[in-house]
Amino acid sequence: MPEGDTVWLTAHRLHAALAGRPLLRADLRVPQLATTDLAGRRMLEVVPRGKHLMARVEGGLTLHSHLRMDGAWHLYAPGERWRGGPAHQVRAVLENEARTAVGYRLPVLELLPTAEEEGVVGHLGPDLLGPDWEPARALAALSGNPERPVGEALLDQRNLAGIGNVYVSELCFLRGVTPWTPFGEVAAPEKLVVLAKRLLEANKSRPGHITTGDTRRGRTNWVYGREHQPCLRCGTPVRRAEHGEDGRTRVAYWCPRCQRGPTPSAG
């Protein structure tokens, strides 16, 4: 799943390619928008909000998209072959005289009045990469339910917006706790919030989620995606299990030596 830094980079690239120019073509391939015509309208800006993308168009309209598990926006030069997937996966095409933005596998694509954006993102907590970032408010929200597992709390975008499953595993490793540890038992929780901000800031201008500082293949993350491989710190085989709320579970990775706290096998 794309994390907040990926969405930030996507918005930055879309803004650079589209903002300030009129749309020559806007092909929105979802039933409710099939007859919508935005051609001739100027794209004003593309901004991220947590994991949401807001493409604001002249006339007080916003094209809202969310990437969820495997959605993506790709940019192409005029005449360049599209390579983001088969044609039936294309959900949106936004084109001006210089660039074409193609949205693939977008599970959320809707057009709404810009004045009503809060209706779709107003529930989000402070954005780790946004102008509304307030670490104290994020910490207060996280601490409001001290019995909740830290992994669940970090994934809840109502607490703070932008963290996905990669960063949950990596943050828990770096703070030495398992994702199933009650948030109230996490030592110095303010450091967890500061670290989350630092990691997303470090990665927002590049692809990937590098948490080790090592860009070599297979060494970019401490535990995420490394089941049965040696922990990069102590050499103990990394373990994997599911975590999260019923019906919305995710995969967690952890080192049984470097991280303390409850695990599925331990109860």
Side-chain angles (χ1 to χ4, degrees), residues 136-263:
R137 186 157 66 95
L139 181 59
L142 290 165
S143 302
N145 187 351
E147 300 301 318
R148 192 178 192 186
V150 61
E152 287 184 20
L154 289 173
L155 283 175
D156 191 336
Q157 303 298 294
R158 296 170 298 181
N159 292 330
L160 69 175
I163 291 180
N165 212 35
V166 176
Y167 284 122
V168 166
S169 290
E170 296 296 287
L171 285 165
C172 287
F173 174 84
L174 289 167
R175 295 303 301 154
V177 297
T178 67
W180 300 272
T181 302
F183 190 84
E185 296 179 16
V186 176
E190 70 281 357
K191 293 183 179 180
L192 184 67
V193 173
V194 170
L195 183 58
K197 168 72 168 176
R198 185 183 306 159
L199 289 179
L200 266 71
E201 284 286 354
N203 286 296
K204 70 179 185 180
S205 298
R206 63 186 178 192
H209 315 294
I210 300 168
T211 56
T212 61
D214 190 335
T215 60
R216 290 176 293 174
R217 184 176 180 179
R219 300 186 68 86
T220 57
N221 297 139
W222 292 102
V223 290
Y224 187 83
R226 294 181 54 80
E227 183 184 16
H228 302 315
Q229 298 179 52
C231 169
L232 293 178
R233 178 180 289 166
C234 74
T236 302
V238 171
R239 298 183 62 184
R240 164 183 163 162
E242 290 188 347
H243 79 114
E245 300 172 331
D246 291 342
R248 302 183 63 184
T249 57
R250 309 285 177 80
V251 175
Y253 298 85
W254 81 101
C255 172
R257 182 174 181 182
C258 293
Q259 294 170 253
R260 297 186 179 276
T263 64

Side-chain angles (χ1 to χ4, degrees), residues 21-24 37-44 57-61:
R21 300 180 177 91
L23 291 169
L24 301 180
D37 185 10
L38 299 177
R41 295 177 186 251
R42 187 166 55 95
M43 181 67 71
L44 302 178
V57 185
E58 189 176 35
L61 295 175

Side-chain angles (χ1 to χ4, degrees), residues 16-63:
L18 301 176
R21 300 180 177 91
L23 291 169
L24 301 180
R25 176 188 178 195
D27 185 2
L28 306 178
R29 302 180 185 179
V30 294
Q32 65 271 28
L33 299 178
T35 60
T36 300
D37 185 10
L38 299 177
R41 295 177 186 251
R42 187 166 55 95
M43 181 67 71
L44 302 178
E45 60 183 345
V46 182
V47 298
R49 179 72 174 88
K51 298 183 182 182
H52 299 253
L53 283 163
M54 301 294 188
R56 295 169 180 153
V57 185
E58 189 176 35
L61 295 175
T62 294
L63 186 65

